[in-house]
Amino acid sequence: MLKNYFKIAIAVLRRRKFFTFISLFGISLTLTVLMVLAAFIEKVTNPVYPGDKNSRSLYIKRLTYTSKKGWINSGGSSFYFLTHYAGSLKTRVKMAIVSSNTSSNAYVNNKKIVIDMKYTNADLWNIANYQFIEGKPFTPDQINKADRVAVISERTRNEYFGDAVTVVGKYIEADNISYRITGVIKNVPEIEEVFYANMFLPYTVAKSDYRNKDFWGDYSAILLAPSEQLVTKMHTEYEQMVTRIPIPDNMKKDFDTLHSDADTYFETFTRGFFGNADNAGYARFLLFMSLFVLLFMLLPTVNLVNVNITRIMERSSEIGVRKAFGASSKTLVYQFITENIILTILGGIIGVILTIIILQVINSSGFIPDLDLTINPVVLLYSLLACLFFGLLSGVYPAWRMSRLNVVTALKAQ
Amino acid sequence: MIRLQNIEKVYRTDTIETLALNSISLDVAKGEFLSIMGPSGCGKSTLLNIMGLLDTPSKGDIRISDQKTDHLSDKQLAQFRNQKLGFIFQSYHLINDLQVLDNVELPLLYRNTTAKERKELATEALAKVGLSNRIKHFPTQLSGGQRQRVAIARAIVGRPEIILADEPTGNLDSAMGNEIMDILINLNRNEGTTIVMVTHDENMAHKTHRLVRLFDGSQVQ
Ligand SMILES: Nc1ncnc2c1ncn2[C@@H]1O[C@H](COP(=O)(O)OP(=O)(O)OP(=O)(O)O)[C@@H](O)[C@H]1O
Ligand SMILES: [Mg+2]
């Protein structure tokens, strides 16, 4: 039976090449877009290198003041603020404090290269799992002594010194200051804001003084909880502490509330796009994504319904014949839905192949450096399920209409 | 075998009401070969469709093999048609997307049969109509006469007790028509299949056991 459905499905698809093409194109393109997007979101929000302890970490980035009058003022956090307040949390075991990147210029053989620099404390090397091609991180001792030492990325090494040379102990000059190299790490994707840089320096050598008592500054913190279970506790502890932080005198006149949040890695993204100082935007993100996927999938579905309905007239003779020879309405509904599912699954398979190709192209094009996009098996599964679901959906109504055709009218229609 | 009692069929459209059949009562005996004749539009096809349970009468009663048919559900109707009836149409009504063999297998698909059985039975039926060498062809690659023979093979593959044929030779020349007619006569003679055939051809009609004439929806002979 199924084999027969398959035969007729393939025959119909081949006969109506144009419609088949349009339908398959719609389905596979939609899936491709969704899966590439998912691969992207997945990679961006779940870095494995170097942030391999994300499930145990919380991130503090923005510091925001609001007033009852509706004024909002937001900026990064200062080194002082982070060490003083986040640093006093009982739950955390480690805390990396890293600055945002500043780009500086270096010249090699009269060629300018741009280096993204990041200032950090020693815990970054413990929280993130940077892979050292050679050398090692600078030590807490070197940081305390404000030594001019640096860890550089493979890319910067290649640009500055040339490929595959040993550089530990050599000096690199950026913005007219020389730093002694202690290690070289594998490149980090630029999109991983907190972890990415081409040159890491001790925070003690930063131009802006880390002792400045202003709350606003250039830094973010990564808090590491002892275990995944304690992340929530750490979050609550920080939340409660923030409510007790006194607002600095120079801010009191304009603002009455201070906001600082310890977010999961994922929330740092959703807060940026969908949230605000009070709301991590996670729920909104989910809602937005579901709506987006639904609307996006609706297009090929409506298209399929349309194609299917136009096919009814064309196939009415077949329906009449099948009924005359013993097909019940129910059997015909099954047949038609099966055909539709075959079509959508074909579309799904093409979509997966297209996705693999596109991801390969994106990965090898260097469009986003060091980002290695892969198909997520969970997303793949959901995509195929979505395919099935929409295949059913787009088949049910036309199939129902088809099966209701009166035999005599159906036979006459030819 | 088939008993029609006071069958009436009215077609209603927005503007007119057509009385396509006017109190027809007819008995077809088991093993009988009956032909129906009459001018175009007199209701022959309508009558045949009602006998084949493809259409329902506006009034009246149909019994097939002493079984009342008016209360059957869609599923039961389908099963009934599948087991007892075989149809042959003037314009063949083959499924062009399927090969000859698959077309002939069609009625068996809606029964409990294995693929192997289906293939055997279909091949056998095609042999009976002399088309053994065309099983992999598609209907569009066949002549009219060949297509009608495929349609006959499809109608007989499930060994129905009754075959209903609506102008089976209507689209064919007389030589082809005679060949088709011979197949039907043999089927009636050898297998005892009850056949009801609508025709415009007096010669064909005279080869059958009995002739019923319709005029304007009423039986005149
Ligand atoms: N679906 C319908 N709606 C309205 N009127 C119909 C319908 N089907 C048939 N009729 C009418 O019923 C009458 C009988 O039609 P039928 O098809 O049974 O004629 P016929 O005897 O088979 O003619 P022919 O020899 O041309 O095939 C005709 O007047 C036709 O116009
Ligand atoms: Mg007719």
Side-chain angles (χ1 to χ4, degrees):
Chain A
M1 199 72 164
L2 215 64
K3 189 176 154 215
N4 201 274
Y5 287 172
F6 199 79
K7 263 190 200 165
I8 189 97
I10 298 299
V12 169
L13 295 183
R14 278 172 48 180
R15 182 157 49 86
R16 309 282 309 174
K17 285 199 179 70
F18 183 67
F19 277 121
T20 306
F21 173 74
I22 294 283
S23 310
L24 286 179
F25 186 75
I27 300 164
S28 48
L29 199 75
T30 309
L31 267 182
T32 305
V33 170
L34 287 180
M35 287 206 291
V36 169
L37 200 74
F40 200 78
I41 291 179
E42 135 111 359
K43 208 63 199 188
V44 165
T45 56
N46 274 316
V48 282
Y49 173 74
D52 63 346
K53 297 182 197 66
N54 276 313
S55 51
R56 273 169 62 193
S57 306
L58 290 178
Y59 296 76
I60 302 171
K61 289 186 158 178
R62 318 278 307 160
L63 189 135
T64 307
Y65 293 106
T66 57
S67 79
K68 289 203 183 70
K69 287 181 215 130
W71 293 354
I72 299 172
N73 216 334
S74 182
S77 313
S78 69
F79 196 90
Y80 168 80
F81 176 83
L82 292 170
T83 37
H84 200 74
Y85 294 106
S88 70
L89 287 183
K90 289 191 198 69
T91 328
R92 57 120 206 162
V93 285
K94 290 196 172 77
M95 179 170 71
I97 301 182
V98 293
S99 75
S100 57
N101 289 346
T102 45
S103 50
S104 76
N105 302 324
Y107 293 88
V108 183
N109 303 328
N110 288 329
K111 212 183 104 215
K112 189 175 102 174
I113 59 175
V114 179
I115 303 178
D116 289 322
M117 298 193 308
K118 189 188 279 306
Y119 297 99
T120 176
N121 69 353
D123 264 350
L124 177 67
W125 310 116
N126 300 319
I127 287 181
N129 183 26
Y130 290 96
Q131 284 173 38
F132 280 80
I133 297 172
E134 58 167 316
K136 53 183 191 308
F138 39 78
T139 62
D141 196 40
Q142 287 169 318
I143 296 176
N144 289 339
K145 289 191 290 187
D147 279 356
R148 294 219 164 110
V149 283
V151 168
I152 61 171
S153 71
E154 191 181 0
R155 181 175 329 126
T156 297
R157 180 199 68 185
N158 294 348
E159 284 174 352
Y160 198 95
F161 298 100
D163 293 1
V165 291
T166 33
V167 296
V168 169
K170 289 189 183 169
Y171 286 85
I172 181 168
E173 197 176 296
D175 288 344
N176 299 320
I177 301 173
S178 280
Y179 300 93
R180 192 166 52 81
I181 297 166
T182 67
V184 181
I185 55 152
K186 248 185 81 191
N187 294 332
V188 175
E190 219 165 303
I191 202 105
E192 295 177 33
E193 214 189 320
V194 280
F195 296 113
Y196 160 78
N198 289 315
M199 183 149 116
F200 297 85
L201 303 169
Y203 68 89
T204 45
V205 303
K207 272 184 219 115
S208 60
D209 190 354
Y210 62 91
R211 280 161 296 211
N212 188 335
K213 292 226 161 62
D214 206 348
F215 282 5
W216 270 331
D218 240 0
Y219 286 89
S220 304
I222 310 167
L223 298 170
L224 189 71
S227 68
E228 280 182 37
Q229 288 75 31
L230 289 173
V231 169
T232 329
K233 190 175 166 230
M234 187 165 79
H235 178 263
T236 322
E237 197 186 337
Y238 187 68
E239 201 171 47
Q240 284 165 357
M241 187 180 66
V242 168
T243 58
R244 293 194 300 268
I245 298 176
I247 295 182
D249 291 339
N250 58 344
M251 291 288 158
K252 265 192 184 137
K253 120 173 109 63
D254 294 322
F255 298 102
D256 40 47
T257 321
L258 180 149
H259 307 262
S260 172
D261 299 281
D263 288 337
T264 62
Y265 195 81
F266 196 67
E267 282 168 346
T268 61
F269 284 91
T270 56
R271 188 185 296 279
F273 291 113
F274 300 97
N276 50 40
D278 288 328
N279 184 331
Y282 188 65
R284 267 187 237 173
F285 167 78
L286 282 186
L287 187 73
F288 176 83
M289 278 326 267
S290 327
L291 276 177
F292 176 78
V293 169
L294 202 73
L295 278 178
F296 207 70
M297 291 294 284
L298 215 59
L299 282 172
T301 308
V302 169
N303 170 47
L304 253 190
V305 171
N306 211 9
V307 168
N308 285 336
I309 289 176
T310 47
R311 274 194 351 214
I312 295 180
M313 281 327 285
E314 199 178 322
R315 297 180 65 184
S316 69
S317 156
E318 178 191 332
I319 295 158
V321 167
R322 286 184 184 270
K323 280 197 160 182
F325 284 100
S328 64
S329 300
K330 212 165 115 190
T331 318
L332 285 175
V333 169
Y334 285 150
Q335 176 193 341
F336 199 68
I337 289 177
T338 312
E339 277 180 28
N340 230 41
I341 288 178
I342 291 173
L343 182 76
T344 36
I345 286 183
L346 264 178
I349 293 171
I350 296 176
V352 171
I353 296 172
L354 264 178
T355 309
I356 293 174
I357 294 173
I358 288 178
L359 291 185
Q360 281 296 329
V361 169
I362 292 181
N363 286 343
S364 61
S365 72
F367 169 58
I368 309 155
D370 308 315
L371 199 69
D372 188 30
L373 295 175
T374 47
I375 287 195
N376 177 336
V378 178
V379 172
L380 181 70
L381 184 77
Y382 277 117
S383 303
L384 289 180
L385 280 180
C387 244
L388 265 180
F389 174 73
F390 284 100
L392 272 174
L393 198 72
S394 59
V396 167
Y397 174 68
W400 179 78
R401 266 191 54 181
M402 234 174 175
S403 69
R404 301 275 307 207
L405 278 179
N406 173 285
V407 190
V408 178
T409 342
L411 284 172
K412 266 189 195 160
Q414 204 185 33
Chain B
M1 194 80 209
I2 308 172
R3 166 164 291 181
L4 303 183
Q5 271 179 322
N6 297 317
I7 295 291
E8 206 175 292
K9 179 72 182 178
V10 184
Y11 286 114
R12 282 191 187 84
T13 56
D14 293 341
T15 45
I16 46 165
E17 219 173 72
T18 318
L19 186 61
L21 293 175
N22 187 7
S23 84
I24 303 272
S25 294
L26 190 64
D27 264 316
V28 185
K30 191 170 165 60
E32 192 174 14
F33 193 163
L34 179 93
S35 49
I36 301 174
M37 289 193 75
S40 187
C42 70
K44 305 181 295 294
S45 296
T46 307
L47 182 65
L48 204 70
N49 289 337
I50 285 175
M51 277 189 201
L53 308 178
L54 299 179
D55 209 349
T56 47
S58 312
K59 249 190 220 156
D61 217 34
I62 314 152
R63 275 164 189 273
I64 297 180
S65 313
D66 267 332
Q67 210 177 322
K68 268 176 83 82
T69 56
D70 52 356
H71 62 280
L72 296 176
S73 68
D74 177 78
K75 195 178 157 191
Q76 287 169 319
L77 265 178
Q79 218 163 32
F80 200 91
R81 286 197 286 257
N82 184 256
Q83 303 284 340
K84 297 229 183 264
L85 305 170
F87 297 90
I88 302 168
F89 306 99
Q90 180 178 358
S91 46
Y92 328 126
H93 282 309
L94 300 175
I95 299 176
N96 288 331
D97 288 321
L98 294 178
Q99 288 175 350
V100 164
L101 190 70
D102 290 320
N103 262 292
V104 175
E105 281 184 15
L106 187 83
L108 305 176
L109 271 186
Y110 303 111
R111 294 183 186 182
N112 274 331
T113 49
T114 63
K116 191 161 158 272
E117 278 176 289
R118 283 201 293 274
K119 193 167 176 188
E120 272 168 21
L121 288 170
T123 316
E124 200 181 303
L126 280 165
K128 274 188 202 160
V129 297
L131 272 182
S132 296
N133 52 348
R134 291 283 191 279
I135 56 175
K136 291 282 172 204
H137 284 58
F138 283 92
T140 44
Q141 301 167 321
L142 300 178
S143 74
Q146 288 169 331
R147 288 188 211 186
Q148 195 59 297
R149 282 190 280 162
V150 175
I152 294 175
R154 176 178 64 186
I156 63 175
V157 74
R159 296 182 193 282
E161 294 164 57
I162 302 163
I163 284 192
L164 303 171
D166 196 349
E167 302 188 44
T169 60
N171 282 356
L172 306 174
D173 64 26
S174 59
M176 257 302 141
N178 282 329
E179 243 176 73
I180 297 294
M181 196 59 199
D182 288 344
I183 296 174
L184 291 178
I185 290 169
N186 279 331
L187 193 69
N188 172 255
R189 240 180 238 152
N190 302 339
E191 325 249 329
T193 312
T194 311
I195 303 180
V196 180
M197 175 181 79
V198 170
T199 181
H200 275 291
D201 190 328
E202 292 277 353
N203 292 330
M204 303 287 178
H206 285 306
K207 292 182 185 173
T208 65
H209 301 157
R210 181 154 68 108
L211 172 62
V212 167
R213 281 186 200 274
L214 291 188
F215 189 79
D216 250 0
S218 304
Q219 189 178 343
V220 291
Q221 178 190 327

